[in-house]
Amino acid sequence: MSSSQPIDSILHETRLFKPPAAGEVGFDAWHVGSAQAYKDLHARSIADPEGFWRDEASRVSWLKPFDRVLEWQAPDARWFVGGRLNACHNCVDRHVDAGFGNETALIWEGEPVAGGGPEVRRLTYEQLRAQTARLGNVLKGLGVKKGDVVTIYMPMVPELAVAILACARIGAAHSVIFGGFAHTAIGERVIDADSRVIITADGGYRRGEVVPLLKNVEAAISLLDSQGHALRDVVVLERTGHVKGAQRFASGQTCGASARLHWWHDLTGAAGEDCPCTPMESEDMLFLLYTSGSTGKPKGIVHTTGGYLTFVQMTARLAFNLSPGAGQIFWCSADIGWVTGHSYVLYGILMNRVPTLMYEGAPNFPANDRFWEIIARHKVTQFYTAPTAIRTFMKWGHELPEKHNLSSLRVLGTVGEPINPEAWIWYHTHIGGGRCPIVDTYWQTETGGHVCTPLPGAIATKPGSCTLPMPGIDAAVVNEQGEEIGANRGGLFVIRKPWPGMLRGVFGNRERFISNYWGRVKDPATGEPYYFSADGARRDEDGYFWIQGRIDDVIKVSGHLLGTMEVESALVSHPYVAEAAVVGFPHEIKGNAICAFVTLKSRWKTEHPGRVPDDALKAELTAHVAREVGALAKPEVIRFAEGLPKTRSGKIMRRLLRDIACGVEKITQDTTTLEDFSVVAALRGDDE
Ligand code: WTA
């Protein structure tokens, strides 16, 4: 954990937006329609958690009822013990069984726009059932068993939803890797999860270009081979059709040492549609999702079945006021490769039987108003996106959304990073027509779903605040001793009681699970550990939460979590780099951007006599990081230094580097363009 500390209040935002009446935005009613109703619900959930969560769990379809709501031996929770259920059954089959097989479950729009407009596909619950059953049979045929981990590396196409749900259907856990990650990230995650099967596609479309997913998987396979990890099967969806001629493989062909490649269409074409949903124990693993940590290797966050489903159906319903059969169309623009896509493109929305919209591509293809055009054409009612996207839309101008009829919208959501009040007001005014409430949802991969958010019909909002905890969430801002602190003082964001959507572990790493989340803050009275989110926060005089961001060495870039260590390791793997330190600095659009401080090996000088480190070298290092980690990890700024400032004990002085990156500290620049940070360090006499 780095030594940075949360800060006391700086922003003082006083504007207050009252929740509209349900009818004003087009709902029949709010699920929670007044501040008092929220208060009562939250108070009940804290006073009688078992009763509260038992009621919520009754909205989940159980194949065998549970015996006990919770067994809690901190930090280990077992929810809905004795119950059996299946996640695919809950999202798909039960709606078919209830007579809604012909209703639309998923609306998908591809990125390319040909003469006749974009490709749009609609899948009903019955079609989803049939497709997940076919792929479920395919996976079983490839030897996938209950409890195995299947890796999924796909573009945003309906088959990605099918792949995820098919795994759930047969009791395999899925581990989805964001399509923007490079082959090393795939290799690392496949090994950590001990996964033997990958589902991928030939490519995906992004900003009019083809992202070569299969090529990245092939590169990952050579990496896996070199590390002795025998991958067994790769199922390849044909999406872009750019793998042609001699490069085209025949299903069953080997790639690398042991992996067999299969075309998705060959296998599913031959598979039957009868594949019953496997009954799972409530605590059986549903999925693994890797997230960046402060110490290098990404962590495989473990979520289990009964608790996760209970939590996401509730948070989706309450935060977005979802109701089935009421003409709602929900669109979350996040990629399914992130937790937001898991919980609020798929599970939470499908559980509520509201059609979920999935868009394949970029917001600026073919033009900068693509999102508004999609909302108008599909009559989206709830829209959920990230502050970094909103800031980009602001830059493109309000004239673009004004060209489209956005009157179908009822609730707007944001997620992933703190939203600055200007962006909030712009979203409210230009997208929400001043009418739609904004739900600023604060949560994490680890929490499974929203933990703090205004309920749209109940809570008055303040731009930049995620307001109040979800019912069932005992959130607080505390000091290092675990004591709740006064208004407008910076502290640690903790959750004091277990909740069903909480992570159950870090895959294969018990020690990291305990030390990362449960090791820092305790209940001062009982000594029981609190869940610590690694975010700093404050509460204002109304008890509203204001998230101040990470206080560990993890940076949110454009809403994507990145460990500084991941980027540093990528940099030092370059033959010219001796040492690297990576810090975040505030960025107008991205929220935070990466600044890398780099020292070079003498080899650089020997091989480039007379040349100073220049833009060409910067470009080379940037491309190297993109290749090793993915484009999202590219440093915004690279600064070359003679040496990095260190404490007497040899630790890199990150706080000083952060200040330099933010322009708080000036440094003396010498003529060789190599900066000398030791001067500032000496001036400061800092010992972090
Ligand atoms: C940050 C994304 C402020 C926070 C769902 C958290 C936010 C990290 C918000 C988790 C928000 C997410 N306001 N900060 N509304 N939502 N964060 O795991 O720092 O990708 O710890 O999950 O995002 O990122 P993750």
Side-chain angles (χ1 to χ4, degrees):
M1 199 67 57
S2 90
S3 53
S4 78
Q5 290 298 321
I7 36 176
D8 288 342
S9 162
I10 28 170
L11 177 76
H12 200 72
E13 177 60 56
T14 50
R15 286 170 285 193
L16 193 70
F17 292 79
K18 295 225 166 67
E24 275 177 60
V25 282
F27 289 115
D28 290 337
W30 294 112
H31 293 313
V32 181
S34 70
Q36 193 57 47
Y38 161 79
K39 239 171 133 180
D40 294 346
L41 188 63
H42 190 264
R44 182 204 165 206
S45 76
I46 300 300
D48 175 23
E50 300 218 351
F52 175 81
W53 289 118
R54 177 175 286 118
D55 288 353
E56 280 304 325
S58 72
R59 296 173 179 272
V60 171
S61 173
W62 297 89
L63 300 172
K64 172 180 173 284
F66 52 89
D67 309 313
R68 282 177 309 286
V69 173
L70 172 66
E71 283 174 4
W72 173 235
Q73 185 67 51
D76 297 302
R78 291 166 51 76
W79 284 92
F80 311 118
V81 184
R84 288 211 189 105
L85 76 169
N86 179 286
C88 184
H89 174 257
N90 265 279
C91 290
V92 181
D93 292 51
R94 75 151 149 166
H95 302 318
V96 176
D97 297 345
F100 302 108
N102 290 328
E103 258 186 27
T104 301
L106 190 149
I107 305 168
W108 172 82
E109 176 156 328
E111 188 192 77
V113 181
E119 187 188 353
V120 174
R121 282 166 61 190
R122 285 188 169 74
L123 291 187
T124 63
Y125 291 101
E126 171 50 30
Q127 287 167 327
L128 254 190
R129 192 206 59 74
Q131 294 196 23
T132 54
R134 277 176 190 274
L135 188 65
N137 281 330
V138 165
L139 293 173
K140 281 192 202 165
L142 294 175
V144 175
K145 298 200 172 51
K146 187 171 161 176
D148 288 354
V149 178
V150 173
T151 300
I152 302 179
Y153 180 68
M154 289 179 80
M156 284 284 283
V157 290
E159 287 81 0
L160 167 55
V162 171
I164 287 175
L165 293 166
C167 288
R169 188 170 192 95
I170 65 164
H174 50 82
S175 165
V176 181
I177 302 176
F178 173 55
F181 279 124
H183 68 283
T184 41
I186 307 173
E188 186 172 50
R189 287 158 172 77
V190 164
I191 291 177
D192 188 80
D194 194 24
S195 174
R196 304 286 158 176
V197 176
I198 299 182
I199 307 178
T200 187
D202 52 354
Y205 291 105
R206 183 84 193 168
R207 226 160 270 143
E209 314 244 307
V210 169
V211 183
L213 298 173
L214 178 59
K215 225 177 99 210
N216 294 346
V217 169
E218 285 169 346
I221 290 173
S222 13
L223 202 101
L224 292 169
D225 285 344
S226 72
Q227 310 223 356
H229 181 95
L231 194 72
R232 210 172 57 225
D233 293 287
V234 182
V235 180
V236 186
L237 176 80
E238 185 156 30
R239 164 64 187 139
T240 55
H242 71 285
V243 179
K244 292 216 167 73
Q247 288 177 316
R248 215 177 147 81
F249 60 84
S251 284
Q253 193 172 312
T254 310
C255 171
S258 57
R260 283 171 306 175
L261 301 180
H262 317 266
W263 288 109
W264 170 299
H265 53 260
D266 285 344
L267 296 187
T268 54
E273 276 183 19
D274 184 22
C275 176
C277 295
T278 305
M280 303 297 283
E281 297 297 327
S282 178
E283 281 298 333
D284 278 341
M285 178 159 74
L286 176 59
F287 66 84
L288 258 181
L289 186 56
Y290 283 84
T291 183
S292 295
S294 47
T295 48
K297 247 177 65 164
K299 301 172 279 192
I301 302 301
V302 176
H303 282 291
T304 59
T305 313
Y308 174 79
L309 291 179
T310 301
F311 194 59
V312 294
Q313 68 74 27
M314 179 192 85
T315 52
R317 187 177 85 252
L318 297 184
F320 304 116
N321 209 52
L322 299 184
S323 300
Q328 299 179 3
I329 294 184
F330 181 88
W331 181 23
C332 164
S333 73
D335 194 286
I336 291 179
W338 306 106
V339 74
T340 305
H342 281 60
S343 299
Y344 304 109
V345 175
L346 294 182
Y347 287 115
I349 313 303
L350 293 172
M351 290 281 296
N352 278 286
R353 194 162 59 79
V354 166
T356 184
L357 191 142
M358 204 173 150
Y359 168 57
E360 178 181 36
N364 56 349
F365 191 87
N368 290 354
D369 61 346
R370 181 69 186 264
F371 272 25
W372 320 128
E373 200 252 324
I374 289 177
I375 290 177
R377 188 154 33 79
H378 292 283
K379 300 200 166 44
V380 170
T381 43
Q382 290 99 334
F383 176 57
Y384 192 29
T385 196
T388 183
I390 298 169
R391 289 190 292 266
T392 307
F393 299 141
M394 277 175 84
K395 200 180 71 182
W396 291 342
H398 57 81
E399 297 77 15
L400 295 182
E402 272 160 21
K403 286 200 315 204
H404 300 276
N405 179 355
L406 305 182
S407 63
S408 57
L409 289 171
R410 303 176 187 179
V411 174
L412 299 175
T414 82
V415 56
E417 50 183 323
I419 181 164
N420 46 311
E422 296 70 33
W424 195 104
I425 296 285
W426 188 90
Y427 197 33
H428 185 253
T429 311
H430 297 291
I431 308 305
R435 171 186 88 247
C436 305
I438 295 197
V439 294
D440 175 352
T441 61
Y442 166 71
W443 59 296
Q444 310 177 291
T445 305
E446 293 85 343
T447 66
H450 310 143
V451 292
C452 269
T453 185
L455 300 189
I459 305 300
T461 48
K462 301 181 191 181
S465 167
C466 61
T467 74
L468 297 167
M470 258 295 160
I473 298 295
D474 186 8
V477 176
V478 301
N479 60 19
E480 297 281 351
Q481 287 69 49
E483 298 150 354
E484 226 171 331
I485 56 178
N488 292 320
R489 301 276 313 286
L492 312 173
F493 182 95
V494 297
I495 304 178
R496 297 182 290 200
K497 289 276 156 25
W499 69 102
M502 66 197 272
L503 79 165
R504 300 300 196 271
V506 171
F507 193 70
N509 202 332
R510 175 84 182 162
E511 194 277 319
R512 235 177 145 188
F513 172 59
I514 308 238
S515 64
N516 265 272
Y517 304 104
W518 306 94
R520 181 143 170 182
V521 199
K522 293 187 176 63
D523 182 329
T526 65
E528 188 171 288
Y530 288 161
Y531 171 81
F532 173 47
S533 67
D535 282 305
R538 70 176 167 97
R539 299 186 80 165
D540 66 16
E541 48 289 347
D542 298 323
Y544 279 30
F545 286 82
W546 297 77
I547 305 297
Q548 297 172 326
R550 308 285 303 197
I551 64 170
D552 55 2
D553 289 325
V554 165
I555 317 177
K556 271 260 154 164
V557 182
S558 300
H560 300 152
L561 212 54
L562 275 173
T564 50
M565 283 274 290
E566 288 173 83
V567 186
E568 287 166 5
S569 319
L571 281 166
V572 296
S573 73
H574 189 280
Y576 292 142
V577 176
E579 241 186 337
V582 161
V583 298
F585 68 97
H587 184 278
E588 208 190 330
I589 302 288
K590 299 178 175 180
N592 297 289
I594 292 176
C595 177
F597 295 86
V598 169
T599 66
L600 296 171
K601 290 186 182 156
S602 52
R603 180 170 169 185
W604 153 261
K605 267 196 195 142
T606 329
E607 291 180 19
H608 300 85
R611 199 172 130 195
V612 290
D614 52 9
D615 286 349
L617 180 59
K618 284 186 188 171
E620 184 178 329
L621 295 183
T622 306
H624 179 75
V625 172
R627 263 194 316 273
E628 292 295 307
V629 189
L632 71 167
K634 282 189 195 166
E636 189 81 11
V637 175
I638 297 182
R639 297 174 71 160
F640 296 107
E642 199 73 73
L644 297 177
K646 299 205 175 131
T647 62
R648 275 188 292 275
S649 55
K651 268 175 59 191
I652 292 178
M653 298 165 76
R654 291 176 171 283
R655 192 146 36 113
L656 173 58
L657 290 178
R658 252 193 301 270
D659 286 352
I660 292 170
C662 297
V664 179
E665 292 279 355
K666 298 269 178 296
I667 48 110
T668 50
Q669 190 134 2
D670 74 16
T671 47
T672 64
T673 79
L674 283 183
E675 298 175 281
D676 185 4
F677 299 114
S678 55
V679 178
V680 206
L683 280 177
R684 267 221 189 164
D686 214 319
D687 216 341
E688 292 195 320

